[in-house]
Amino acid sequence: MSDPQKWTRRVVLQRGLSLGAMGVAAPLAINLAAMSEAAAFDATDYKALVCVFLYGGNDYANTVVPYDAANYALYHQIRAGAAGEDQAGIALARAALAPGALTTAQPQTLTDDLQYALPPQLAGMKSIWDAGRLAIQLNVGPLIQPTTLAQYQSTNRVANPLPPKLFSHNDQQSVWQSNGVEGSTTGWGGRIGDIAMSSNNPNSLLTCISAAGNAVFVAGRDALQYQISPGGAIRINPLNNAALRDAMTALITRQSAHVLENEYAVVTRRSIEMEGIVNGALNGVGPLATPFPANNPLAAQLRIVARLIAARNALGLHRQVFFVSLGGFDNHNLLMQDHPNLLQRVNDAMAAFYAATVELGIANRVTTFTASDFGRTLASNADGSDHGWGSHQFVMGGAVNGRRYYGTAPRVSLQSTDQVGQGRLLPTTSVDQFAATLGQWFGCSPTELAGILPNIGRFPTTNLGFV
């Protein structure tokens, strides 16, 4: 005889769809396999990590641009491409770069006396650099182990492993965020959050927050990612309709013989409760004096992050990991038209966010960093650039050892041993090292890093020193 209460795949799907169809899981990317609280360090101060992800693969060469005369000439020669020596191609004009020329806090020797400049669209970030609160990590990207060009070209993948599915958007977005290809279920931001959850009781659900929809970066083994909109906590749709509200209430308050259904109901009730808690705390802190630009989706996301940080005391929070993003960086074409507009959005949003942390008196407790699928080719691809590998990333905050470059500067070349073709940079710093440096500032011990970053033991340095 069949038991009508027996747990079957069909029942799982039916009960899950009953709630899922109502949109009840919207504020949470639910990880039903990880419902327990993690216990690690118990922080009494406050720190936050904020990941700014640039979807599509940011063009590194027009973001951090070779500026000294010799290397600019090489950059222009390569990026002019088929346009010819007297044409710009996809190269920025050197005269336009002059206001963004970067000087360092103390002498730094780069390859061939290389000096960089930021394009005019990053003027706000240039000011933060000049104030010593912005650093640049050079040529960082996913690696399994330190890798040379010969090892990259080797056919022995056992001895010379490479990150999976290089140059693929979806997979490299996931590799950057999680150390695994598309479909990975936890990210290194979420795994950092796992060990900090106990510091945030009773509101540990707010340890890992995405203001950009579902993102594996802030999904932990135990830490659930909480999704928030620019306007605040997301209200579950059925609560706006009396009939649906009654039906949903019946579903989430009854006790079922099925464990998964009960857990799903717990998560839904928790989401409803957290909406009231979060929005109540946000209403209690009042508006920010710092203006954020309108019609800028990244600025809107960073503004709600700043407001949540302002509400940290009301929510009893000590450690948080945030994720925000901006798309549009897959510039195979129209690079010179589209990329400056994107950089302007990044600049305006990040400069406003830093100013907001200063306003809140917590700039030295918030570290913001950029990431992207991959860098792009130094060589032109018609009027754009193609998929690459390594790239340059910004790190911003009051605790940052700024006005400095970190890592190894790549050659401005299409034939050097630090690129794998067309100026696709072979990373000299791994994402694991980049993440480990941020994680240690956040409070992770060196012994905890191996559980967060599976490849970190293969690299000689676990703290790059930028924070």
Side-chain angles (χ1 to χ4, degrees):
M1 296 290 292
S2 63
D3 182 350
Q5 294 299 314
K6 186 173 180 178
W7 193 238
T8 66
R9 180 176 180 273
R10 178 175 295 178
V11 170
V12 172
L13 293 174
Q14 287 174 340
R15 302 302 173 86
L17 289 171
S18 295
L19 292 171
M22 301 176 75
V24 301
L28 295 171
I30 299 175
N31 179 353
L32 293 174
M35 303 297 295
S36 63
E37 296 288 324
F41 64 83
D42 291 313
T44 56
D45 59 350
Y46 181 83
K47 286 186 178 180
L49 290 172
V50 182
C51 175
V52 178
F53 203 90
L54 309 179
Y55 279 106
N58 182 39
D59 187 271
Y60 76 87
N62 278 11
T63 302
V64 180
V65 190
Y67 179 70
D68 64 281
N71 284 290
Y72 178 84
L74 294 171
Y75 156 86
H76 183 272
Q77 181 182 29
I78 292 168
R79 296 223 114 182
E85 293 183 3
D86 297 328
Q87 303 299 318
I90 59 169
L92 299 172
R94 190 165 188 264
L97 294 169
L102 300 178
T103 57
T104 57
Q106 53 186 294
Q108 287 187 268
T109 301
L110 297 178
T111 303
D112 296 336
D113 297 319
L114 176 63
Q115 181 185 12
Y116 287 115
L118 300 183
Q121 293 78 21
L122 296 181
M125 296 185 71
K126 168 64 162 49
S127 295
I128 300 172
W129 169 279
D130 290 341
R133 295 297 174 248
L134 183 74
I136 297 172
Q137 178 63 55
L138 298 168
N139 195 10
V140 58
L143 290 169
I144 304 298
Q145 62 186 28
T147 302
T148 65
L149 181 60
Q151 290 169 325
Y152 168 80
Q153 294 170 335
S154 170
T155 59
N156 184 350
R157 286 289 160 255
V158 175
N160 304 296
L162 295 176
K165 300 186 178 180
L166 287 170
F167 318 123
S168 160
H169 282 295
N170 291 351
D171 292 295
Q172 291 311 299
Q173 289 161 11
S174 182
V175 169
W176 237 104
Q177 296 181 35
S178 72
N179 302 102
V181 294
E182 185 178 16
S184 298
T185 57
T186 69
W188 57 265
R191 295 192 294 269
I192 287 174
D194 283 337
I195 69 167
M197 287 177 65
S198 59
S199 297
N200 291 334
N201 285 330
N203 290 326
S204 59
L205 184 60
L206 301 178
T207 302
C208 295
I209 296 180
S210 172
N214 188 27
V216 70
F217 176 77
V218 281
R221 300 183 183 97
D222 295 281
L224 305 175
Q225 64 164 295
Y226 187 83
Q227 294 177 23
I228 195 160
S229 77
I234 300 171
R235 185 173 176 83
I236 293 174
N237 290 333
L239 296 180
N240 298 316
N241 180 288
L244 287 175
R245 183 170 60 246
D246 292 343
M248 186 189 71
T249 301
L251 279 170
I252 66 175
T253 57
R254 72 179 182 180
Q255 185 66 28
S256 171
H258 304 303
V259 174
L260 184 56
E261 183 179 0
N262 287 332
E263 293 293 353
Y264 203 104
V266 166
V267 171
T268 304
R269 292 197 301 270
R270 185 185 300 169
S271 179
I272 295 171
E273 178 184 5
M274 289 308 301
E275 179 209 341
I277 291 172
V278 171
N279 285 337
L282 289 172
N283 291 335
V285 298
L288 292 165
T290 300
F292 279 74
N295 303 315
N296 182 329
L298 181 60
Q301 294 168 45
L302 284 171
R303 181 176 180 272
I304 191 61
V305 170
R307 292 184 63 211
L308 285 166
I309 290 172
R312 66 195 181 280
N313 292 332
L315 294 167
L317 302 174
H318 298 285
R319 289 291 186 275
Q320 289 185 283
V321 182
F322 294 96
F323 182 89
V324 298
S325 71
L326 182 67
F329 287 87
D330 192 20
N331 301 134
H332 290 276
N333 300 295
L334 302 177
L335 175 72
M336 300 299 280
Q337 170 183 301
D338 295 340
H339 193 245
N341 294 331
L342 292 166
L343 291 185
Q344 190 71 62
R345 286 187 166 188
V346 171
N347 174 84
D348 295 350
M350 291 185 66
F353 181 68
Y354 178 72
T357 65
V358 173
E359 174 193 337
L360 295 170
I362 201 166
N364 65 334
R365 296 292 179 177
V366 180
T367 298
T368 305
F369 60 95
T370 60
S372 191
D373 317 13
F374 35 63
R376 303 187 75 83
T377 55
L378 181 59
S380 63
N381 172 27
D383 60 345
S385 55
D386 210 340
H387 298 181
W389 189 354
S391 192
H392 309 321
Q393 304 300 341
F394 296 112
V395 186
M396 178 182 77
V400 171
N401 299 316
R403 208 175 158 197
R404 288 182 61 87
Y405 311 109
Y406 293 83
T408 303
R411 298 272 180 175
V412 185
S413 172
L414 303 184
Q415 287 83 37
S416 56
T417 57
D418 56 5
Q419 56 87 42
V420 298
Q422 295 183 282
R424 293 181 173 93
L425 297 185
L426 174 58
T428 47
T429 298
S430 73
V431 172
D432 291 70
Q433 293 172 291
F434 188 65
T437 306
L438 294 163
Q440 288 174 82
W441 171 81
F442 193 72
C444 303
S445 70
T447 57
E448 289 169 323
L449 293 177
I452 298 168
L453 304 161
N455 300 315
I456 192 61
R458 300 172 185 240
F459 297 93
T461 303
T462 61
N463 195 320
L464 302 173
F466 54 70
V467 67

